[in-house]
Amino acid sequence: LYTAKDEITTTFPNAEERHELRTLLEKGCRAPYKLQLKIGCRVMLVKNINVQLGLVNGRCGEVVGFLPA
């Protein structure tokens, strides 16, 4: 199971405000918050990570392994 690495870094005074912000962010995201992945599955980036390395929106790849958590 892969869990998104994006974080909310702003401190909110209550859980309701954090929930509202997370809901808003998820609404604009193409990928679900959690993905089940296995070795050999095809994946595609949905946002630019590092343009110089070619890790850009739309770039496809294949899962070849996992690092320990």
Side-chain angles (χ1 to χ4, degrees):
L1 187 64
Y2 173 82
T3 303
K5 299 287 185 189
D6 297 338
E7 297 178 10
I8 300 170
T9 56
T10 305
T11 303
F12 290 93
N14 63 53
E16 183 179 332
E17 289 183 355
R18 285 193 303 271
H19 176 72
E20 287 177 18
L21 179 58
R22 182 172 173 179
T23 301
L24 180 64
L25 291 173
E26 287 175 351
K27 194 184 286 187
C29 183
R30 293 185 202 158
Y33 183 69
K34 292 186 178 186
L35 294 173
Q36 266 191 312
L37 301 174
K38 66 179 186 177
I39 293 175
C41 73
R42 300 280 296 160
V43 293
M44 182 178 75
L45 293 176
V46 294
K47 74 176 198 176
N48 293 344
I49 295 174
N50 188 317
V51 176
Q52 289 77 21
L53 294 177
L55 300 174
V56 296
N57 183 23
R59 183 75 185 252
C60 293
E62 182 178 321
V63 175
V64 296
F66 297 97
L67 296 174

